Each structure stands twice: as structure tokens, then as C-alpha cells.
Amino acid sequence: MQGDQQPQDLDPAPDLPASGVSPANDESYGERVARLFREHNDSLVRVLRARLNSPQEATEVAQEAYVRLLRLDRPGEVSFLQAYLFKTAINLANDRLKHKVRKAHLDPLVFFETEAETASPSPDQGVCAQQELELIRRAVEELPAKCRKAFLLHKVHELSVEETAARMSLNPRVIRRYVARALAHCQKSLECRSSPTGGTK
Amino acid sequence: MTSATEERAALELRIEEAAQWFVQLRSTNMSADDIERWNDWSKIVANQQAFDAITRRWQSADALGNMPLPTLAELEADDYDGSLPVSSQRVRDSSQIHRKTGAFFSIWRSPRKSLAAAAALAAFSTWLVFWLGERSPADFIGDPVEVHETAAGQHRKLELSDGSSIDLGAKTSVSVSYAANRRTVVLDRGEALFHVAHDRQRPFVVVAGQGAITAVGTAFNVRRDDDRVVVSVTEGKVTVAQQRAFSPRREIAAAFSASKLPPVSTTLARGQQVAYDGRGELGAVQRADPDIATAWRDGRLQYRNEPLKYVVIDINRYSRRQIMLGDRSTEELVFTGTVFQDQIDEWLRGLEDIFPVQVTQTDNDHIFLQSRQAR
């Protein structure tokens, strides 16, 4: 292929330095990044989606993280490339969230805009948004009181897990447990209606 | 029956796991160990589906805004600590309520009577499930969903029960669900050409990304590259609508600013094409040769002024080696031409001549394309 025809030393690539890796290492830096991408990109994007609430943003942040990885000056010094990639991406996501919050305070129009972007629930195989919301509302009503409170404070009132924990005088671990149980309950209520035979995939 | 019950239990377990992962990933930092465990778990397709569903629920719950918080009395009466799924707790709760009332107390003590009471409770819950089921609207997706997938480089034709057909491109996945008043197909990924049998009573709806394409009887091609979707009509007419919830705030914002809201839906005729992005924003309607849009069925991928980013996503569905783009300027290069599905290597070799890019093979499975200027 193309790469084979071009001797590496004719065109040294400062951005993709194979030089940072010891000759004993069979795998070049570019290959390591490519393998990371191939094996774990989906999993990385899912982590970012959980944090960012918009698939578009998640993809953008993941991409930026790869670009940063490829631009590292001395990649040889990064021994845990995968951990580094995830950490970089999560930091970028956190930056974005902070930036967004700050902007929202400054400019109401920007706030509207971001609100509109994040508030669009994507359809599940044709379930319309209102029906989905109704089922979720019913599921949340069914939750035990403390579990419901934790979920609403964290999700709707946008308190962090720690803030919610302080408000309810509980351990953050318990709050996470409540929120997870609440979410699972919402999803099960939906699955109940959509596939009576129990899973079609 | 047992296998259905087991399947259901497995699904519920998966959902619980997915929800726990979701909460953990959102609110804590990940150690190297966490990342390993997460990658292992999320490798499994069923887990991915459960996790993605949980992510969607989280987003939809945004609209719960006005739900009241529980009262102090409710909180005090509640002893749920989250160690079991909510559903198990609710069964326990209901038995506790019965236990508190004197009449039921003796029933739960006597084994025979308690058996009868349990049976009655089971009968009641079955009835409740049916009753709730009845109440949901008819077009709700209580109908079986069939999933069809193709592998890289593979094509397949699906014949549907109503006489419609779907030509699946490579690495494509569709979920088909037919109800009495609606035919729904979700294009999860890839590309497909739809020939829709005429039925005015049952519109044929293709959901792809953040949009939906509705037809009564016609033929059209839908290509999905990640979040971007391109719809081309080869016969008749279709309506393309973005799947965005109505947001009053957005309307207000638009009223205050000079910018106009993008159109919510548009109608396409034969020879027309429209694209929309991950936010469901519809682009301008363009003229497009139907033969070009469907050339993929004959082994050719044809493009006119297409950003390289999308060309590559498309080609990757046919290529054993996955092409990766190294920088934004390469992604934005505009490509016009034909790629033969069985001659992708030749196409790659020619790229360096027409674009300022360098093609590097990083390993047996990957090819990097990056700008020559960037170095």
C-alpha cells in the first residue's frame, strides 16, 4: 500500500512521531493510536455522551482527544495511552460543561440555544416523545420517596451528586445508587410496553 | 414460556447494570481499572443497546421539570435504600401494607391462605399489566420488531409482508416494525433503498438519526453516515421531518433574534435530495440524479461535491481496512467521483494525486489520511 512505498525517514512527521517509541517496540505510535481508536472509540463516545447529553458534542470531544493524542510531543512517556485518552476526553468534556454554564449566565439567548439542543429526546423505534415522557413520568411517580427525591434533585434541579447527598444527609454513594435504580426503573417501564415478549433484539 | 421469562430477567439485569454504569461514568473519575472494566462490559452489543437506551431516557427526563418533590411524610415512611431494584422493593411494599391491616395479617400467617392471596395478587398484577397495555395508544410500538443486519461489503434484499422491499447496503442495520396503522423502519446505521408498497392507511416511516422520512407509496434511498443522513428520492414523493421536540424556549429565542428557525419538514420529489445533521437541522433541497444515489447497488459509490469525511464513513462500510482521517482540513476536502467497492485500494492510491494528503498504512487494518500541509 501507499505507506509501504514511502520510506519513513524521507518525510519525518513531527506530529506522528514513531521516534518516541523505542525500536524494540513492534508497534509504532500511530499504530497504537489507531488500535485504540478501533477498539475503544465507541466505548469512549458512550462515556462522553453520558456526560455531555448531545451525541454531536460527544463525537467532537472524542475527535479532539485523538487529535491531542496524535500531537503529543513525547508520546513515549505516556505509558497508559488508553487511560490518557479517556482522561483527556473527560477533561475536555468537563471544560465544555463549565464553559456552557458560564455562557448561560451571560447570555440568555445562548442559554435558550443550548437548552433547545439538549432537550430533544431522540425517539426509540417510533415511540413518540410525549408517550415516552408520560411513561417516564409514571415510572418516576412509582419510585420510593427517597429514591425519587434523589433522582429529581440530581436530574431536574441539576444538583451534583455531592450537593444532592448534602441536601438529603446521605452518602454520595447512596445517591448514585438511587439515581441508577430510578433510571433502570424508567427504562424497564418502557421496555415492558414496547416488547411484551421480553426483548426482540 | 420459561425462556421468555428468563430472557426478561436477563434484560432487566442488563438494564440495571447499564444504569449503574451510566451514573458512575457521569459523576466520577475513571481509574485505569474502571476503563478496562467498562470497555469489557460495553463490548457486548446487548449491553451497548441497554446503555444507549438509558442515555436516551436520561435526556428525555429533562422534560420532567415540573414534577413535585416527595413530601416529608412520604420520605419518613420510606425505607428503600437502593440495594435492590425498585420493582422488588415495590412488591415488598405492597405486602407490607397488607401485613399492617389486621385482616390480612392472619392470611399471611397461614400458608394455604397466603398462597391463595399470592395467587390473587399475581392475577391482579397480570390484569393491571393488561389494563395499562390497553390504555396505550394503538400506534404505540407494542408490535414485534425484526432486526436485519449486513456485514462489511455485503448487500441484501429484504421482502416485507406488505410487498415493500428494502435493499440493504453494506454494514447496515434496520429494525422493522409493522403496526395496523403504521409501518416503521429504523435505520440504525448504513444505507438502504426503500421500495414502498402503496397503502394510504399505513404510512411508511423511516426513522434515521434525528429525522423521519414518511412515504405512502414510493422509492427512496437513505444513507446514514454517523449522525448525518442523506435522503434521495428515486420515485414519487416523501416528507422528511426532523425529530425535535417542540421547545417554547427555542421559539422565543428565535423570535428575539434575527435568525430564522430552520424548517421543520420538507417534501421531496423524484430527483431531489436533502441532508440533515445530528441535531435534525435540514439542509437545502438539492437536485440529485437518482441513479447516482442508488449506484451502490451495482458496486459503485458515486459522489458529487461530498465532504471527504462522509465519503470515508461510507467507504469504510465496504473496506476491510478502516480509513481514518487525521485532521479537520482533510475531512473538509470536497470529493466528486466514483469509487468501485472492490477497488478501494486503487482509489486510495489516487487520492494523493488529487488532494494535498498523505496516505499511510498504519497496520493491517487501518489507513491514515492526513493533510500534507499540517506537517
Side-chain angles (χ1 to χ4, degrees), chain A residues 51-52 57 90-106:
Chain A
R51 286 177 176 253
L52 285 166
E57 271 191 302
I90 288 174
N91 286 345
L92 286 170
N94 289 346
D95 284 353
R96 260 191 196 224
L97 287 174
K98 267 188 227 146
H99 188 63
K100 201 176 255 181
V101 170
R102 238 195 350 261
K103 260 191 148 176
H105 286 308
L106 291 175

Side-chain angles (χ1 to χ4, degrees), chain B residues 256-304:
Chain B
F256 276 106
S257 68
S259 68
K260 272 203 304 198
L261 277 179
V264 177
S265 74
T266 185
T267 303
L268 296 183
R270 178 188 148 80
Q272 288 188 317
Q273 172 177 302
V274 78
Y276 55 86
D277 59 17
R279 286 178 299 172
E281 307 278 4
L282 292 172
V285 174
Q286 296 186 319
R287 291 201 46 77
D289 184 347
D291 292 338
I292 290 186
T294 57
W296 60 267
R297 290 192 305 158
D298 307 320
R300 285 171 291 133
L301 302 171
Q302 282 185 276
Y303 305 96
R304 287 190 65 182

Side-chain angles (χ1 to χ4, degrees), chain B residues 160 164 178 183 185 194 196 202-206 213-215 220:
Chain B
L160 302 174
S164 299
Y178 273 24
R183 298 168 282 179
V185 177
F194 299 87
V196 179
R202 290 164 89 200
F204 190 98
V205 182
V206 176
I213 303 109
T214 306
F220 56 99

Side-chain angles (χ1 to χ4, degrees), chain A residues 161-176:
Chain A
V161 166
E162 287 70 25
E163 288 165 338
T164 311
R167 236 340 236 274
M168 295 179 67
S169 315
L170 289 168
N171 189 312
R173 252 196 5 258
V174 180
I175 301 297
R176 276 195 271 278

Side-chain angles (χ1 to χ4, degrees), chain A residues 1-2 6 31 38 43 46 50-51 63 122 124 132 146 148 155 177-178 181 187-188 194 198, chain B residues 16 25-26 28 39 52 56-58 60 62 74 78 80 82 141 331 352 358 361-362 366:
Chain A
M1 203 43 275
Q2 212 60 4
Q6 293 196 333
E31 281 168 5
R38 177 181 67 213
S43 122
R46 283 198 171 83
R51 286 177 176 253
Q63 216 165 33
S122 60
D124 240 17
E132 183 191 339
K146 279 186 273 191
R148 179 160 28 116
K155 171 69 204 172
R177 210 153 68 198
Y178 278 146
R181 294 293 185 201
Q187 178 59 21
K188 283 184 201 169
S194 58
Chain B
E16 293 287 346
L25 295 180
R26 266 184 69 77
T28 55
N39 283 340
D52 293 347
R56 285 195 293 271
R57 292 301 82 74
W58 181 256
S60 316
D62 273 342
E74 279 183 278
D78 173 32
Y80 178 55
I141 50 146
E331 289 179 351
E352 287 187 338
Q358 186 179 14
Q361 180 171 355
T362 52
H366 288 85

Side-chain angles (χ1 to χ4, degrees), chain A residues 1-6 11-16 30-31 34 37-38 40 43 46-47 49-51 53-56 59 63 67 70 82-83 86-87 90 109 111-113 115-127 131-133 135-138 140-149 151-157 161 167 174 176-188 190-201, chain B residues 4 7-8 11-12 15-16 19-20 22-23 25-28 30 35-36 38-39 42 48-49 51-70 74-75 78 80-87 89-90 132 135 137 139-143 145 147 175 182 186 207 210 227 243-245 247 249-250 253 256-257 278-279 321 324 326 328 331 345 348-349 352 358-363 365-368 370 374-375:
Chain A
M1 203 43 275
Q2 212 60 4
D4 302 345
Q5 294 160 10
Q6 293 196 333
D11 187 7
D15 289 338
L16 255 181
E31 281 168 5
F37 179 85
R38 177 181 67 213
H40 301 307
S43 122
R46 283 198 171 83
V47 172
R49 274 193 189 195
R51 286 177 176 253
N53 287 342
S54 140
Q56 181 123 341
T59 324
Q63 216 165 33
V67 170
L70 287 169
Q82 174 177 284
F86 274 69
K87 212 148 260 183
I90 288 174
L109 286 184
F111 173 69
F112 287 138
E113 201 50 47
E115 183 81 358
E117 277 169 25
T118 51
S120 63
S122 60
D124 240 17
Q125 301 174 348
V127 185
Q131 290 165 337
E132 183 191 339
L133 187 63
L135 284 173
I136 292 180
R137 183 180 298 278
R138 215 181 289 163
V140 172
E141 272 166 9
E142 288 169 355
L143 294 174
K146 279 186 273 191
C147 180
R148 179 160 28 116
K149 185 171 183 184
F151 181 72
L152 289 174
L153 285 181
H154 180 49
K155 171 69 204 172
V156 177
H157 298 247
V161 166
R167 236 340 236 274
V174 180
R176 276 195 271 278
R177 210 153 68 198
Y178 278 146
V179 175
R181 294 293 185 201
L183 259 175
H185 187 62
C186 290
Q187 178 59 21
K188 283 184 201 169
L190 245 84
E191 297 262 355
C192 242
R193 309 297 190 276
S194 58
S195 60
T197 51
T200 44
K201 288 189 180 181
Chain B
E7 235 176 83
R8 179 79 213 170
L11 177 70
E12 297 208 340
I15 292 172
E16 293 287 346
Q20 279 158 22
F22 183 85
V23 172
L25 295 180
R26 266 184 69 77
S27 59
T28 55
M30 293 178 91
I35 297 174
E36 292 286 346
W38 160 247
N39 283 340
S42 68
Q48 292 171 3
Q49 286 168 348
F51 187 84
D52 293 347
I54 289 285
T55 310
R56 285 195 293 271
R57 292 301 82 74
W58 181 256
Q59 278 166 33
S60 316
D62 273 342
L64 284 175
N66 54 359
M67 251 184 106
L69 290 173
E74 279 183 278
L75 288 168
D78 173 32
Y80 178 55
D81 64 358
S83 54
L84 287 173
V86 171
S87 42
Q89 172 73 12
R90 292 183 66 227
L132 289 173
R135 289 202 330 161
D139 64 344
F140 198 58
I141 50 146
D143 312 280
V145 180
V147 181
S175 316
R182 196 171 133 117
V186 181
V207 179
Q210 293 299 305
D227 284 332
Q243 295 265 342
R244 188 161 55 193
S247 157
R249 281 185 168 171
R250 195 185 161 83
F256 276 106
S257 68
R279 286 178 299 172
R321 276 179 293 215
M324 291 167 62
R328 194 157 290 220
E331 289 179 351
D345 285 355
L348 278 169
R349 228 166 272 152
E352 287 187 338
Q358 186 179 14
V359 182
T360 321
Q361 180 171 355
T362 52
D363 58 34
D365 301 321
H366 288 85
I367 290 161
F368 253 119
Q370 59 176 353
R375 24 193 59 236

